[in-house]
Each structure stands twice: as structure tokens, then as C-alpha cells.
Amino acid sequence: MAKKSKSKWQYFERLVAAVHKAADAGADVKWNDTINGRQFDVTIRFRKGMYDHLTVVECKDFGKSVPVEKVEAFVTKSKDANANLAVLASTSGFQSGALESAQRHGIILLHVTSADEVDPSIFGAKFGETVEILVVEEIALEFADGEKTQLPSRANVLTYYSNHTTLECGGDKATLDSLIGGWLKPKDMLNIPDGEHTIPMPEGTIITGPHDGAVPLKPLAAIRIRTVRTKARTLDGPNKVDPSFMTPDVRVQNISTGEEKTFKYKDLALGIDNTFLPGKFYEAPGLGFFYYCEGVENGVAALCLVESFQHGQLVQGRIKMKAQYGDRYIPVSDKVTIARLQRRLNTLKQNGSWVRT
């Protein structure tokens, strides 16, 4: 239903850069660098003895294994930059021809994935039994005039919109969440095939939702959902923990040597060399929280939490932190996202308070 967004592959590039920054203490690690007029996703420079060394990294966040053509193209590109070492990082592995080509040309191949285990003990919780579940991964709205709108697919954000979007027809009202649940309930959920399903809406169905521009408020023709069956572990503890807080660590495998190393996600600086600037929006990438910087004084940044989704609710507030942690945050550059965050910020300023809605 949805194509891979620019922000998603840029996130992977930043993740790979942050991993190398954590692994190569003292090295000069840059994201989205340019050498001799050519763009490189990540570069690492360092000096050893009397000599300077350059490593260039290309990142591939594909839905399938990287083919040999991508490796051979990178061989030429890295040679043009006079790199001492070339690295190709992938989220989905490499085809056999790509492995052979990389070995022949001395290209290092890295497979970057999420670690299997997440430690819930920091929340005072522990994992319980494993159960089979049906997950609604994506929701798209098809309107009577032919327009289609994809709701944000991040799980905690999708929960918010499905809980706060209402459908009305002939005097009957239901939330998007309850309507989808009602459509699924008569079926044997665990036998529903993975993939896309269409729920037609009666003529005259009107949709209303949060007034943030994400959901057009006009007649609805159909709801399209994508489901997948999977296994999940229950979480036991005295507190209710939003699963979005449990960001897995990062596992990096050198395909050539088989060596594996795991990096703590909380220690990775995806902002690379970012610093907080007043009047700018920033994202905490692991959580998907968005902040607005009000100002920086005496090494302390004053931030407004403009958008965060927790337990199906929009949570906002104010915090202060040491400005040195700015490298954990990514500047927001997407114009549509900035416009949405600005609307939320304006509403907060008009209300004169910071509340959960």
C-alpha cells in the first residue's frame, strides 16, 4: 500500500553512521557527505600514524537482497573517491553474486538488523507467554471523490488515529478502531490471510477525526487494511508500558568474517553532529517523538514535546535537557511534517497550557 519513504531510508543511513561513530571513537564520521562531486551516505575519516584513511559507506534499505549490480556500481564509485575501504550495508542481506563480487573487489558487506531481545526490566516488567496475534499493519481511507489517504503506519500513531477517527452514517456512530474490529470479529482472525482487505462503507458515510490535517473530513467510500499474523510475547509488570518505548538494539554482522556486534540503541547518536537551535523542530527517532526548541541557555535546551503518541493518546509537555544531547535528535526537514507540527504548536500556544488530549 505504501512506498518506502525518503525519511525511512535516511533513517537507516543515519543509523549506520551512528553505529560507526560508536565503534570508531575519535574518527570523523559524516552522514550524506560529498567527495569529488559524488554523494556518499556515510564517510569515516581518521589518521593513523602519518597517514590519513578514508572509508566510504553505501546503505541499502531494500525489501529484498542486494543484487550484484549494486555492488559493482559501488566499486567504481568508491575508487573514484580514492577510498581506502568501501563498505556496503543492507537491511535485507545480499544475493550470492553480490557476495562473490564483494569478495573479489575487497568490499566489506554488513547486514544490519534489530537484535532479537529487548530488556523490559527497566520498566519493572518481564516477558510472559508467547501468543499468536493478528496485526493491522496499515490503514488507508478511500473517499467518495476517489482520493486515498494512508494513515501513519507507526504502530503507536496508527492506534491514536484509529481510536480518534469517527465514522457516522444514518445516525449511527463508530470509531475507526471499533468498525475494523467489528469487521474482523465474525471471522476466524488467525485464519485471515496476510495481505490487503477492503471494507466497503455505506453511501453517505461521513468521517471526522483529529483536526491536524491527517484525515480529510469528507464522505468515505471504503477502508483498506493490511493484516499480518505473527507471534508476540505478553508483558507482565506493575505498570502499563507502551510497546513503542521498547526500541530493540542494533545487530551488525560482517558477512565476510561472520563477526557480529550489538550496539545499544540508547547510545547511538543518530543526529550525528546536530545541535539544538531555537525555533527548530527535532525528532527523537527511536520513539518517533517530535520537539520544538524554545531556546538554549547556559548549555541547557528548553524543549516543547509537541507530538508523542502513548497508549493511543497524544501526549505533550515541556522538558529541559543538556544541550550536549542534541546529537541524539534529528532535525525535521520535511515540509509537510513541519506544517503539521507548527499547527500543533500553535494550538498549544493558543491554549496556554500543556495537556494530554
Side-chain angles (χ1 to χ4, degrees), residues 109-330:
L109 301 182
L110 299 181
H111 190 195
V112 183
T113 57
S114 297
D116 295 331
E117 292 297 321
V118 177
D119 183 9
S121 63
I122 60 174
F123 302 106
K126 62 181 180 180
F127 286 119
E129 63 179 334
T130 298
V131 296
E132 191 171 2
I133 62 172
L134 179 76
V135 178
V136 177
E137 285 191 320
E138 298 178 4
I139 302 176
L141 306 174
E142 185 174 316
F143 296 92
D145 62 3
E147 181 185 354
K148 297 178 182 179
T149 296
Q150 174 103 19
L151 295 183
S153 59
R154 192 181 179 102
N156 54 336
V157 185
L158 188 60
T159 300
Y160 169 77
Y161 282 103
S162 62
N163 286 346
H164 290 78
T165 300
T166 302
L167 302 150
E168 182 175 1
C169 185
D172 295 327
K173 286 185 178 182
T175 64
L176 184 58
D177 177 67
S178 62
L179 190 144
I180 293 173
W183 184 83
L184 292 170
K185 192 172 182 180
K187 304 167 177 58
D188 183 352
M189 290 193 190
L190 296 183
N191 286 324
I192 294 176
D194 293 349
E196 188 175 327
H197 312 280
T198 300
I199 308 173
M201 292 290 101
E203 186 176 352
T205 298
I206 301 298
I207 187 168
T208 58
H211 295 281
D212 56 13
V215 180
L217 310 182
K218 57 185 180 179
L220 186 68
I223 301 168
R224 300 188 185 279
I225 63 173
R226 182 177 293 278
T227 62
V228 63
R229 292 165 295 173
T230 187
K231 294 185 183 295
R233 288 182 292 179
T234 58
L235 197 61
D236 301 325
N239 304 309
K240 186 178 179 181
V241 180
D242 192 304
S244 65
F245 285 5
M246 303 180 68
T247 306
D249 294 329
V250 180
R251 177 181 294 130
V252 179
Q253 181 187 29
N254 185 320
I255 299 298
S256 304
T257 64
E259 178 186 1
E260 280 190 7
K261 187 170 183 179
T262 299
F263 295 83
K264 292 288 185 183
Y265 190 91
K266 65 180 181 64
D267 297 332
L268 296 179
L270 273 74
I272 314 300
D273 55 357
N274 175 65
T275 56
F276 288 124
L277 295 175
K280 299 294 184 181
F281 291 101
Y282 298 90
E283 179 185 5
L287 298 172
F289 290 3
F290 290 92
Y291 297 84
Y292 174 80
C293 180
E294 293 184 295
V296 180
E297 187 176 353
N298 298 325
V300 176
L303 304 177
C304 299
L305 176 57
V306 177
E307 182 180 277
S308 71
F309 298 98
Q310 304 171 36
H311 303 296
Q313 304 295 326
L314 172 62
V315 179
Q316 300 168 308
R318 269 193 172 115
I319 66 170
K320 289 186 177 182
M321 69 168 64
K322 292 181 178 179
Q324 68 189 59
Y325 296 119
D327 61 0
R328 264 57 175 177
Y329 296 79
I330 296 176

